[in-house]
Amino acid sequence: MKKRSMLMLAALMLILSAFLAACSGGEKTGTSKNEDDGKTGETAGKPQDGGTLVYALDSAPEGKFNYSFYGNATDQYVIDFFDENLIDYDENLKAQPHIASWKTADNKVFDFEIKQGVKWHNGDELSVKDWEFALKVIADKDYDGPRFDNVRNILGAQGYHDGKAKEIAGIKVVDDYHIQITFDKARVNNLDNLWTYPMNRTEFKGLAVKDMMASEQVRTKPVGLGPFKVTKVIPGESVELERFDDYFGGKPHIEKVVIKVIDPSLSVGELKNGTLDMTSFHPSIIDQVKALDNVNAVTYPGVSYYYVGFRLGTWDGEKNIMNEPKYQEKKLREAMYYAINREEWVKAFFFGVGKPVNRPIPTNHWIAAPNEDLEQYKYDPEKAKALLDEAGYKDVDGDGFREDPNGKKFVVNFSHYATDNPTFESRAKAMTQYWEAVGLKTKLTMTDVNLYYEMLDKADKSMEVFFGGWSTGSDPDPTPLWGSKAVWNYPRWVNADSDKLLDQALDISVVGTDNEKRKDLYVEWQKLFMQDLPALPIAELEETMAVSKRVQDVKFDVSGMNRPNEWWIKQ
């Protein structure tokens, strides 16, 4: 199975489908409407070679077709067809050897070996120097992608990033197939957090790091290690790929893949007509997909959740600073949580594939705190009103809406991302109605999804209250989203006790290799989060995928889909 992207913001994944389910790990295997083993198609008989697979996205990719630079799920879905992780993850999200294997005695120094003879699409043989190259690109001061946190803990990476060293001390290339990586200290998750995606040195030779993101090597002529190679990119519309016969994992059966952007309202018709083979879809159309005789409607465990966040501060380029006063009042945040009827909201917009979540960790993850240990914040509009009264938010001018404690007009400026999916605006409006029902005047702004996350990345002041989500993979560590120095900590929440608990859960001297000790610390962290409430966890969902019955041997579990070289088309 492929590693589920630990970066992907779940809200961005909703470009493809509103599948969100759990933040990470540990669910049951997926099921389809006809089977219960997470497989699609009739797998009897020998795989057949040939055919073209048509895969649909319901929003245009940004076009950053390189693992080191991409930032949303549409790009990731394209990249997964043509590039490869050096390590793999099983159905329990445990790291497994893939192209690379490793040894470590102390979780600080890792010795890696890569397979010989692995080919890039341009004919180059993969070397550990390609991996070293990628790590140095990401650590470069001019790198403008989001991956430095996956390199930062390598010994000397911060100094290299700051211009204090010409090399990264913790990276030692032994030969083309062996590399030693030393971290600044032993951590439980050093391997899971490490960036394990190489970049082809030949393709990027002579190109300044600052120019890479916009280059044709990233945008229109990407080169990878995966089962298919890119032959044509029409930005914003489609990507065409052909079989890579020298793929190290075995020659793919399918000859060509066409990934195209379609209006989601057309997906059921295209599936029915056989002009579309695979697509994620929004739960609102699950009954329509299930009704198609030529399609399997697959649901399987997700690793993401939704939340409503508050702008509590700003990002100074290195860390978060909690200096915005408007939502610092905890009783205000609590009142807005009690005002939301999450049961009703999830039922209305996710059609049986979701449920409310009461923590920033999905229910089925192994580190999830028991519900009974947490504040539940069940729907209680009267309690919401009482909290607002206590905090001084009262209607002083008789217009039906509350002023702030100083008697000034108070408006909740709520932002939600926009795609072609019509349910997004409806569910956002429903959220505003809950708050207005307790006297909080609310203004909704729908923003194009790609611009939306750029604005959050930059801590744009207009993003005061916002709808978002998070998706991780094998590593349960919440630090990339909630650490005080995390760029994706969009509320800009800073809490020393939170940072201490998160650090301890990774510290070998504290937890050793005992997952129960680690879980205990994460449970305490979840309690702290729900007490401080920098964001309001809303829902977790299963993932949904439509797969034509002519496409065989596609398998799903919590780690994602199996590699597409194993798929085949029934002729």
Side-chain angles (χ1 to χ4, degrees):
M1 289 292 180
K2 70 183 180 71
K3 179 184 180 183
R4 185 182 299 284
S5 169
M6 68 181 180
L7 322 156
M8 284 319 352
L9 301 170
L12 287 173
M13 287 192 170
L14 287 168
I15 299 167
L16 301 171
S17 69
F19 63 78
L20 293 172
C23 175
S24 186
E27 284 198 57
K28 59 185 182 299
T29 56
T31 60
S32 75
K33 69 173 185 175
N34 292 326
E35 303 179 34
D36 61 3
D37 59 359
K39 300 178 182 179
T40 65
E42 300 168 5
T43 57
K46 183 179 179 181
Q48 297 173 319
D49 290 344
T52 298
L53 176 83
V54 181
Y55 189 103
L57 310 175
D58 70 3
S59 186
E62 284 187 283
K64 300 174 185 176
F65 297 135
N66 185 286
Y67 279 125
S68 295
F69 293 99
Y70 86 100
N72 75 28
T74 47
D75 288 354
Q76 184 215 351
Y77 271 64
V78 174
I79 298 168
D80 280 349
F81 276 96
F82 74 81
D83 212 352
E84 206 77 20
N85 194 347
L86 295 178
I87 63 180
D88 200 2
Y89 288 80
D90 64 19
E91 67 276 7
N92 297 313
L93 296 177
K94 299 298 183 184
Q96 302 294 329
H98 190 44
I99 294 174
S101 56
W102 59 90
K103 295 179 181 179
T104 182
D106 57 7
N107 270 42
K108 181 179 180 180
V109 180
F110 286 76
D111 292 297
F112 292 91
E113 179 180 359
I114 67 168
K115 292 181 178 179
Q116 298 185 25
V118 176
K119 294 290 186 179
W120 290 96
H121 296 158
N122 63 0
D124 291 350
E125 183 181 2
L126 174 68
S127 166
V128 295
K129 295 174 184 176
D130 295 315
W131 187 12
E132 177 196 34
F133 177 70
L135 295 173
K136 293 176 76 172
V137 165
I138 293 171
D140 193 279
K141 64 180 177 59
D142 291 329
Y143 170 73
D144 54 355
R147 308 291 183 260
F148 182 55
D149 275 345
N150 300 107
V151 176
R152 185 193 303 271
N153 292 335
I154 297 174
L155 182 67
Q158 188 68 57
Y160 182 85
H161 176 76
D162 295 340
K164 298 177 180 178
K166 294 184 178 180
E167 298 294 333
I168 300 176
I171 300 176
K172 180 182 178 182
V173 173
V174 179
D175 56 37
D176 280 336
Y177 309 108
H178 297 85
I179 187 171
Q180 184 180 84
I181 296 180
T182 301
F183 294 89
D184 54 359
K185 69 176 184 178
R187 295 182 185 84
V188 176
N189 71 334
N190 274 337
L191 176 63
D192 285 332
N193 190 57
L194 177 64
W195 192 248
T196 52
Y197 299 89
M199 293 171 62
N200 185 278
R201 290 168 296 148
T202 302
E203 293 296 314
F204 288 93
K205 186 176 181 180
L207 192 62
V209 172
K210 65 182 177 62
D211 298 325
M212 289 181 180
M213 177 100 66
S215 70
E216 67 176 17
Q217 290 91 329
V218 170
R219 299 288 182 163
T220 57
K221 296 181 180 179
V223 167
L225 298 164
F228 294 90
K229 56 184 179 181
V230 175
T231 57
K232 184 178 182 180
V233 175
I234 302 178
E237 295 183 17
S238 65
V239 178
E240 297 180 15
L241 307 97
E242 66 181 16
R243 177 172 58 208
F244 181 48
D245 290 349
D246 292 328
Y247 176 57
F248 83 98
K251 179 180 175 181
H253 300 293
I254 296 171
E255 185 175 353
K256 294 182 179 179
V257 175
V258 176
I259 303 173
K260 64 180 183 179
V261 180
I262 67 169
D263 185 321
S265 66
L266 303 177
S267 58
V268 172
E270 290 215 23
L271 287 164
K272 181 178 180 179
N273 295 334
T275 53
L276 173 60
D277 293 307
M278 291 181 67
T279 186
S280 297
F281 62 88
H282 190 273
S284 61
I285 64 170
I286 191 167
D287 289 340
Q288 296 177 57
V289 177
K290 286 182 176 180
L292 299 176
D293 293 334
N294 63 327
V295 173
N296 284 314
V298 181
T299 60
Y300 64 102
V303 288
S304 312
Y305 65 93
Y306 287 128
Y307 66 88
V308 169
F310 301 94
R311 188 174 191 272
L312 303 175
T314 193
W315 172 255
D316 72 355
E318 294 291 334
K319 63 183 181 303
N320 295 297
I321 302 173
M322 207 162 71
N323 59 358
E324 291 291 335
K326 186 171 180 178
Y327 292 95
Q328 294 291 342
E329 173 56 64
K330 179 182 171 183
K331 287 182 179 179
L332 171 61
R333 303 195 301 272
E334 288 179 323
M336 291 176 69
Y337 208 8
Y338 280 116
I340 302 169
N341 189 336
R342 288 179 289 155
E343 291 280 357
E344 176 184 73
W345 189 86
V346 172
K347 184 177 181 180
F349 296 106
F350 297 105
F351 305 88
V353 295
K355 60 184 179 182
V357 64
N358 297 311
R359 65 182 83 72
I361 300 292
T363 301
N364 62 348
H365 197 286
W366 67 270
I367 69 167
N371 254 336
E372 58 269 22
D373 291 351
L374 301 168
E375 295 286 342
Q376 295 300 298
Y377 296 100
K378 292 183 179 180
Y379 176 55
D380 191 340
E382 294 307 312
K383 187 166 186 176
K385 293 175 185 177
L387 284 165
L388 291 169
D389 288 342
E390 290 173 18
Y393 293 84
K394 298 179 180 180
D395 179 11
V396 297
D397 61 8
D399 67 350
F401 294 106
R402 298 170 183 268
E403 278 67 46
D404 71 14
N406 296 316
K408 295 181 180 180
K409 290 289 185 184
F410 184 83
V411 178
V412 175
N413 292 302
F414 180 50
S415 298
H416 194 295
Y417 48 86
T419 72
D420 291 330
N421 192 316
T423 68
F424 288 3
E425 186 168 4
S426 297
R427 74 187 188 201
K429 286 181 177 178
M431 199 70 71
T432 68
Q433 290 166 3
Y434 290 132
W435 294 325
E436 293 207 334
V438 298
L440 294 173
K441 182 68 175 176
T442 305
K443 178 184 177 182
L444 172 64
T445 300
M446 300 294 295
T447 303
D448 176 77
V449 67
N450 291 323
L451 176 60
Y452 187 82
Y453 280 97
E454 285 184 22
M455 293 170 71
L456 284 175
D457 282 340
K458 296 175 182 177
D460 190 290
K461 288 191 175 183
S462 68
M463 307 287 276
E464 293 183 359
V465 181
F466 53 89
F467 190 84
W470 184 247
S471 178
T472 76
S474 59
D475 182 12
D477 177 29
T479 304
L481 183 61
W482 300 113
S484 295
K485 295 182 179 180
V487 66
W488 283 329
N489 177 350
Y490 290 143
R492 309 304 168 193
W493 179 48
V494 178
N495 185 298
D497 290 334
S498 167
D499 291 339
K500 181 178 179 180
L501 286 167
L502 294 178
D503 287 345
Q504 287 178 334
L506 300 177
D507 192 331
I508 291 288
S509 68
V510 175
V511 298
T513 57
D514 188 335
N515 277 339
E516 285 304 311
K517 289 183 180 179
R518 193 180 181 198
K519 178 179 179 178
D520 289 344
L521 288 166
Y522 284 134
V523 168
E524 291 305 309
W525 177 82
Q526 291 164 72
K527 292 178 183 177
L528 171 65
F529 184 99
M530 295 306 291
Q531 289 165 4
D532 213 23
L533 214 62
L536 315 179
I538 301 296
E540 55 188 4
L541 283 75
E542 291 184 312
E543 299 190 23
T544 50
M545 179 73 73
V547 183
S548 169
K549 290 183 179 178
R550 80 187 193 107
V551 182
Q552 307 290 298
D553 281 350
V554 183
K555 302 172 186 177
F556 301 86
D557 63 30
V558 72
S559 70
M561 293 183 286
N562 60 329
R563 298 301 287 142
N565 65 302
E566 299 175 0
W567 309 349
W568 57 280
I569 293 175
K570 199 172 183 180
Q571 306 296 319

